[in-house]
């Protein structure tokens, strides 16, 4: 199943429209190329509908939100919904400012997202429609652990029902849930939180998996999360003495570029909950 999802991305080579932040935009473009998809970044209000129309999926990331792009996000989302394209929201830093929280809540209200992907602090804030986060990184106190896993799985399923979207939470342990089923993913390495953009890359990458696997969006999301975690493990093993987070970032993209379906099946660590 995971293998098939990965291979469908290479076979279909989906074109992904990204309205994303200027911090990690290049990493998002490269991870899409690495997995066999194609990126296009476009956020001007006068072209977003046209751009989305020629694409297969839309990735909306509010990382460096500004008043100009908010309208573009709504317009692109509306068109993507009309054309039944895969649509994903990454509510980066929701809770860090009133503008982010209000924008994320409005987007969820007006656009049908297939997947909402964030770290646990972002997803909790979005669920409450208010709250405060420290910034773009998850608060350590929110961490998903073996002790609170059952509770968080229940939370993710309920939120999926409320928001009519797959809820995909990343962290030490990842949870991917719709209203009925949840999968818990144990892949990854702690150094992934030492580069900016592992989450943004995961969102762009997941949008490609959704666009290429429209008949099973839950498993497409699980496959994307497993693949990113596996890539993190492979990249970390490749690091030598003088390597730091910059090399790791490159190794991570390389690992996605070279990943085979067999390797993904062999290394993926996930279970249904
Ligand atoms: N401590 C960890 N152990 C294992 N995997 C991790 C760890 N921290 C993050 N990851 C992995 O890193 C990827 C990104 O998740 P993370 O929760 O850090 O996203 P994020 O906070 O949105 O990142 P960013 O905003 O910097 O782009 C996921 O694949 C996740 O599984
Ligand atoms: C650091 C940062 N600030 C806004 S977006 C972003 C990238 C990680 O989410
Ligand atoms: Mg993030």
């Amino acid at each position: 199943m995971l293998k098939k999802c990965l291979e469908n991305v290479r076979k279909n080579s989906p074109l992904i429209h990204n309205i994303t932040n200027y911090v990690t935009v290049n990493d998002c473009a490269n991870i899409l190329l690495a997995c066999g998809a194609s990126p296009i970044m476009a956020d001007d209000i006068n072209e977003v509908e046209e751009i989305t129309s020629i694409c297969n999926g839309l990735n909306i990331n509010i990382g460096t939100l500004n008043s100009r792009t908010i309208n573009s996000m709504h317009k692109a989302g509306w068109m993507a919904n009309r054309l039944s394209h895969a649509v994903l929201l990454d509510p980066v830093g929701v809770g860090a400012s009133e503008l982010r929280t209000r924008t994320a809540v409005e987007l969820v209200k007006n656009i049908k997202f297939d997947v909402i992907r964030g770290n646990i602090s972002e997803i909790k804030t979005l669920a409450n429609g208010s709250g405060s986060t420290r910034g773009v990184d998850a608060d350590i106190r929110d961490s998903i652990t073996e002790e609170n896993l059952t509770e968080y799985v229940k939370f993710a399923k309920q939120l999926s029902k409320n928001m009519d979207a797959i809820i995909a939470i990343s962290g030490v342990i990842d949870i991917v849930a719709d209203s009925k089923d949840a999968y818990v993913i144990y892949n990854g390495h702690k150094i992934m939180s030492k580069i900016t953009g592992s989450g943004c890359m995961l969102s762009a990458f997941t949008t490609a998996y959704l666009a290429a696997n429209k008949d099973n969006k839950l498993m497409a999301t699980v496959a994307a999360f497993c693949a990113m975690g596996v890539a993190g493990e492979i990249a970390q093993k490749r690091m030598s003495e003088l390597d730091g987070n910059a090399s790791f970032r490159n190794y991570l993209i390389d690992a996605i570029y070279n990943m085979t379906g067999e390797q993904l099946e062999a290394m993926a660590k996930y279970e249904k909950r």
Side-chain angles (χ1 to χ4, degrees):
M1 188 79 209
L2 305 183
K3 178 174 182 282
K4 189 88 198 136
C5 289
L6 178 149
E7 288 169 354
N8 279 342
V9 178
R10 297 231 168 94
K11 194 174 84 194
N12 299 334
S13 192
L15 180 57
I16 306 302
H17 178 193
N18 301 269
I19 302 181
T20 191
N21 67 74
Y22 48 68
V23 182
T24 64
V25 59
N26 186 258
D27 295 327
C28 292
N30 274 315
I31 206 90
L32 286 169
L33 287 171
C35 71
S38 294
I40 180 162
M41 279 56 184
D43 63 18
D44 192 278
I45 191 88
N46 295 309
E47 70 164 356
V48 284
E49 286 169 301
E50 255 178 291
I51 296 291
T52 270
S53 302
I54 60 161
C55 288
N56 310 100
L58 172 66
N59 170 36
I60 297 180
N61 176 310
I62 68 164
T64 49
L65 199 58
N66 69 58
S67 309
R68 186 180 57 86
T69 49
I70 293 171
N71 291 333
S72 302
M73 289 172 180
H74 281 278
K75 254 191 153 174
W78 180 85
M79 181 55 88
N81 279 170
R82 203 182 118 188
L83 298 171
S84 301
H85 290 175
V87 193
L88 179 145
L89 175 68
D90 187 334
V92 182
V94 63
S97 74
E98 208 261 319
L99 178 70
R100 277 172 204 252
T101 307
R102 184 161 26 93
T103 301
V105 168
E106 284 289 310
L107 285 167
V108 170
K109 209 189 295 169
N110 294 327
I111 298 166
K112 160 82 181 96
F113 289 101
D114 293 301
V115 172
I116 300 172
R117 201 282 329 156
N119 64 48
I120 184 62
S121 302
E122 291 161 345
I123 297 295
K124 275 173 83 171
T125 305
L126 191 60
N128 295 329
S130 66
S132 62
T133 53
R134 264 192 56 239
V136 299
D137 294 325
D139 188 328
I140 191 90
R141 289 168 300 186
D142 292 332
S143 285
I144 300 171
T145 61
E146 286 299 340
E147 287 68 47
N148 60 30
L149 188 55
T150 306
E151 204 182 312
Y152 272 131
V153 164
K154 203 171 142 208
F155 159 77
K157 285 183 181 173
Q158 185 59 48
L159 186 60
S160 173
K161 195 171 170 192
N162 297 350
M163 297 202 158
D164 191 23
I166 292 166
I167 301 298
I169 310 170
S170 60
V172 181
I173 301 173
D174 307 315
I175 299 174
V176 172
D178 66 15
S179 58
K180 293 195 295 292
D181 298 317
Y183 289 84
V184 175
I185 296 132
Y186 294 95
N187 292 105
H189 190 277
K190 64 176 187 298
I191 194 176
M192 295 174 85
S193 62
K194 292 285 177 238
I195 57 165
T196 189
S198 54
C200 303
M201 283 191 266
L202 178 57
S203 289
F205 183 67
T206 302
T207 312
Y209 271 63
L210 290 169
N213 294 282
K214 284 180 116 174
D215 55 336
N216 195 341
K217 287 176 174 158
L218 187 64
M219 285 320 290
T221 307
V222 173
F225 269 61
C226 289
M228 184 57 80
V230 165
E233 292 166 21
I234 294 168
Q236 191 277 330
K237 283 205 193 84
R238 212 185 131 182
M239 288 175 78
S240 50
E241 206 189 343
L242 293 177
D243 284 340
N245 64 347
S247 300
F248 175 77
R249 189 265 309 265
N250 287 343
Y251 295 158
L252 182 70
I253 297 170
D254 287 348
I256 293 292
Y257 185 89
N258 289 302
M259 193 173 291
T260 63
E262 288 75 17
Q263 190 179 29
L264 175 58
E265 291 284 356
M267 291 182 71
K269 283 189 253 142
Y270 69 103
E271 62 186 35
K272 197 167 171 192
R273 278 288 185 133

